[in-house]
Amino acid sequence: MAKKPFRFGVVAAASEGGAKWLQTARRAEELGYSTLLCPDNLNLPTPTAALAAAAAATSELRVGSFVFASPLRTARAAAWEAHSLTVVTGGRFELGLGTGLPTMRQQAEELGLPYGSGQERLDAISETIDHVRRLDGDGHTPVMVAAGGPKARKLAGAKADVVTLAGGVLTTREEMAGYAEEIRAAAGGRDIELALNIFVVGEQVPPWIRGFIGVDAETLIEHDSLTIIRGSADAMAEELERRREELGVSYVSVNGAFIEEFAPLVERLTGK
């Protein structure tokens, strides 16, 4: 497979208010990150407002949803927000879509929306992409799909520009390689970008991240998890190159808690 050049994103939420959020956006741009990615959750500021503010505070930084959860909007509403962000950011928005976590069932109910079956949530992603393409006209909002299951991988390969390999935190390298092949097969001859999200840099898992992923650093290391990267800068760079060679992953995002620790890799590998 042809190697794509590396680019990097940082995943952060605007939970600490405007000044801190804008500082994060400016720092991400200063450190050379390609994209600032914002999660979608009713307990956090909406990505639409947060990303518009981040783009306005920077000049080249791209912004993206990570990811719009299909149970929290109708497909048409999600497309409206996405196209609007593309317009107001001058084409710097990347639309990330996913089916949402099971915990979002209650959040969907709060909005008066159905959580839906797995297939219904996938259908909503497909419909959102179709609506965005129509709204964009001659433009093009890049679409990323977080693909965790076989049906999601097939849909993502067929319709997305970027596909995040979204297996469990203990998914093996061999399994991930198989997922990547499924996506490429579904893409046919289309040019797609494969992505991976890293939760931990180093050998310490912050308590709130451990609560989210459900395992400690020792378990991640024991299982050779792809959600952690550690060692010297040389060792981590070699590991990212290995992942690109074996999986085709060239777009790597990292949790905002490690924006500084990961920065040397961004400087070293971006565009290479």
Side-chain angles (χ1 to χ4, degrees):
M1 74 190 90
K3 291 182 182 179
K4 286 186 173 295
F6 281 113
R7 71 177 178 123
F8 300 94
V10 58
V11 181
S15 56
E16 296 185 41
K20 178 67 173 176
W21 174 245
L22 298 185
Q23 181 183 1
T24 297
R26 294 186 183 111
R27 186 58 175 156
E29 182 170 61
E30 183 179 274
L31 292 172
Y33 286 91
S34 164
T35 320
L36 176 61
L37 302 163
C38 189
D40 190 28
N41 188 305
L42 285 191
N43 299 315
L44 299 170
T46 171
T48 306
L51 295 173
T58 56
S59 57
E60 297 182 1
L61 184 72
R62 300 186 66 78
V63 296
S65 52
F66 197 76
V67 291
F68 275 175
S70 60
L72 302 187
R73 296 165 190 79
T74 65
R76 181 63 177 83
W80 177 35
E81 292 188 29
H83 177 69
S84 298
L85 279 165
T86 292
V87 171
V88 302
T89 64
R92 286 192 280 148
F93 174 67
E94 299 181 8
L95 171 61
L97 296 168
T99 55
L101 300 171
T103 53
M104 287 182 172
R105 182 181 297 274
Q106 181 179 347
Q107 295 187 23
E109 290 175 357
E110 288 183 44
L111 293 169
L113 295 170
Y115 180 70
S117 66
Q119 186 60 56
E120 287 170 337
R121 285 178 281 130
L122 278 175
D123 289 344
I125 289 175
S126 181
E127 291 167 17
T128 297
I129 296 172
D130 291 343
H131 284 306
V132 168
R133 297 293 179 242
R134 176 178 57 81
L135 292 172
D136 279 348
D138 293 334
H140 185 83
T141 299
V143 174
M144 183 274 286
V145 172
K151 291 182 179 179
R153 290 191 286 273
K154 184 176 181 180
L155 169 63
K159 286 194 167 187
D161 302 288
V162 184
V163 185
T164 292
L165 300 174
V169 294
L170 302 183
T171 300
T172 67
R173 287 176 190 265
E174 184 178 10
E175 289 171 327
M176 280 290 198
Y179 297 165
E181 283 302 319
E182 287 180 42
I183 293 163
R184 281 190 286 268
R190 290 195 325 110
D191 184 32
I192 60 170
E193 185 177 36
L194 293 183
L196 192 66
N197 184 43
I198 293 175
F199 286 106
V200 181
V201 178
E203 300 192 3
Q204 299 295 323
V205 182
W208 66 272
I209 293 180
R210 180 174 177 177
F212 180 74
I213 65 176
V215 296
D216 56 21
E218 291 75 17
T219 303
L220 294 175
I221 293 168
E222 178 186 353
H223 287 81
D224 189 27
S225 173
L226 295 175
T227 61
I228 185 173
I229 193 164
R230 61 196 180 98
S232 66
D234 285 346
M236 290 191 288
E238 289 173 6
E239 171 59 22
L240 291 181
E241 289 171 344
R242 177 187 175 189
R243 295 180 187 188
R244 181 170 62 176
E245 183 70 31
E246 295 178 350
L247 307 175
V249 169
S250 58
Y251 181 22
V252 180
S253 56
V254 67
N255 189 285
F258 301 101
I259 186 173
E260 299 291 341
E261 290 87 345
F262 198 74
L265 296 173
V266 175
E267 181 180 10
R268 181 168 177 166
L269 295 176
T270 293
K272 296 180 180 178

